[in-house]
Amino acid sequence: MVNFATLKKNSGNLSTLVKEIEKLNAPAEKQEDNRYWQPEVDKAGNGVAIIRFLPAPAVDGEDSLPWVRIWNHGFKGPTGKWYIENSLTTFGQKDPVAEYNSQLWNSTNDDNSPARKQAREQKRRLTYISNIYVVSDPKNPENEGKIFLYRYGKKIFDKISLLMNPEFDGDEAINPFNLWNGANFKLKIRMVEGYRNYDMSGFASPSPLLDDDGAMEKIWNQEYSLKELIDPKNFKSYDELKKKLDDVLELSTTPRASVAEVKTVTETPKPATSLNVVGDDDDEDLASFRALAS
């Protein structure tokens, strides 16, 4: 027990209390989901890796598609808090951010108004998730030969779609998810105006993933469930999301026309004519912001 003399001696020492306050204010550590892979970049923001998109998993009840789509929102409110959540519009259900964005949009006819600017900044974004096999990961070679889930955005999905639906007559349609006739995908990441850019990424010539059917069957059987990722039970309820939105934007019971200083996770999009426009940016960067969300 500390005696009174010691209490008096240490009365001017705030260091211990300050350290404890710093601990309380520090962002809570979140459990890392080791199922997911992300490419690592250097200090300049550049990186390369080679991956193979895998077919739909060999799991009972899975859909035949080798990807799932999830809508999400990511922005920072005037409180300094982040709203980074999956959207219930993934299932065609009502979502509080979509509703609030509609209120903002319909509050004015001025396309350049703060309300419509905020609605664009809080737009939903589309993320795709697939199983992948890591062929080459120079920054983390221990990942090579392993199966992961991979989040990617519209730009990469557009490259997948173009490979399956060539623009020009005579070009071969290739299913990149095919174990035998698919193609490796070479990720080339650059920093352009402060954001990750994947324009130089592309598919190699078609080839089997491996020369051994038995080994490929083993890989197929090790894939993660995709259907589980879009199970409604893994999404927050409308009321939970509404409470989070009200907290981040300091909304009262009567919605305001606009909230100043809302910052988005990604680059502010160009003016659009409708709400919830899919951005041209990829969503890999969203993962790095998830730790900021409380």
Side-chain angles (χ1 to χ4, degrees):
M1 179 181 293
V2 177
N3 59 37
F4 191 75
T6 302
L7 177 66
K8 182 178 180 180
K9 181 180 178 181
N10 295 330
S11 61
N13 186 0
L14 289 175
S15 60
T16 301
L17 293 179
V18 169
K19 288 180 180 178
E20 291 302 316
I21 290 175
E22 289 175 350
K23 290 180 183 178
L24 291 174
N25 291 334
E29 293 186 7
K30 295 209 169 186
Q31 187 72 28
E32 183 179 357
D33 192 337
N34 294 322
R35 296 176 301 170
Y36 287 89
W37 174 87
Q38 288 294 336
E40 187 175 333
V41 296
D42 59 24
K43 292 181 179 180
N46 301 320
V48 295
I50 300 174
I51 61 175
R52 182 70 167 246
F53 289 98
L54 298 175
V59 180
D60 290 341
E62 287 288 315
D63 294 330
S64 59
L65 290 177
W67 67 76
V68 290
R69 306 190 326 158
I70 297 178
W71 292 100
N72 53 59
H73 294 278
F75 53 86
K76 187 177 182 180
T79 58
K81 299 176 182 179
W82 288 91
Y83 184 97
I84 301 179
E85 300 290 347
N86 290 332
S87 171
L88 294 174
T89 60
T90 299
F91 315 111
Q93 298 177 6
K94 292 193 304 180
D95 182 88
V97 179
E99 291 180 337
Y100 184 63
N101 283 348
S102 293
Q103 289 180 331
L104 291 172
W105 191 267
N106 295 326
S107 67
T108 176
N109 291 321
D110 181 2
D111 205 40
N112 297 313
S113 66
R116 288 197 172 185
K117 179 177 183 291
Q118 182 183 345
R120 292 191 188 99
E121 290 174 338
Q122 295 173 179
K123 68 172 186 174
R124 66 179 186 173
R125 301 187 313 148
L126 184 58
T127 299
Y128 297 85
I129 304 177
S130 292
N131 280 282
I132 63 163
Y133 176 91
V134 178
V135 178
S136 174
D137 187 349
K139 288 286 186 179
N140 297 285
E142 66 275 11
N143 290 332
E144 296 174 3
K146 295 180 180 179
I147 297 92
F148 294 93
L149 292 171
Y150 177 48
R151 290 189 184 95
Y152 54 101
K154 183 177 181 294
K155 277 192 175 180
I156 291 179
F157 189 81
D158 283 347
K159 292 180 181 292
I160 292 172
S161 180
L162 187 61
L163 193 69
M164 294 189 292
N165 301 280
E167 286 185 281
F168 302 103
D169 291 340
D171 286 352
E172 181 185 4
I174 297 170
N175 175 9
F177 300 94
N178 189 289
L179 292 173
W180 295 270
N181 303 313
N184 291 345
F185 185 70
K186 187 167 186 178
L187 276 167
K188 292 184 178 180
I189 306 166
R190 299 176 300 147
M191 290 297 289
V192 177
E193 297 181 353
Y195 297 92
R196 288 190 179 188
N197 181 281
Y198 299 84
D199 289 347
M200 296 182 67
S201 302
F203 286 95
S205 299
S207 65
L209 173 59
L210 300 173
D211 294 329
D212 184 344
D213 276 11
M216 289 196 294
E217 183 178 7
K218 183 177 180 181
I219 288 171
W220 181 51
N221 286 319
Q222 290 176 346
E223 289 185 41
Y224 296 102
S225 169
L226 296 177
K227 189 175 182 180
E228 175 192 351
L229 303 178
I230 54 172
D231 189 322
K233 71 180 182 182
N234 294 323
F235 283 61
K236 291 183 179 177
S237 69
Y238 179 95
D239 290 341
E240 289 173 314
L241 294 175
K242 182 66 166 59
K243 182 179 180 181
K244 179 70 174 291
L245 180 65
D246 290 350
D247 184 46
V248 169
L249 296 184
E250 291 185 319
L251 297 178
S252 62
T253 53
T254 303
R256 290 179 283 174
S258 138
V259 177
E261 308 248 343
V262 173
K263 299 179 181 179
T264 55
V265 171
T266 57
E267 183 178 7
T268 302
K270 296 179 181 179
T273 57
S274 62
L275 294 181
N276 291 333
V277 175
V278 178
D280 289 333
D281 45 9
D282 282 290
D283 289 350
E284 281 85 347
D285 291 335
L286 188 64
S288 64
F289 286 91
R290 290 186 185 277
L292 298 174
S294 59

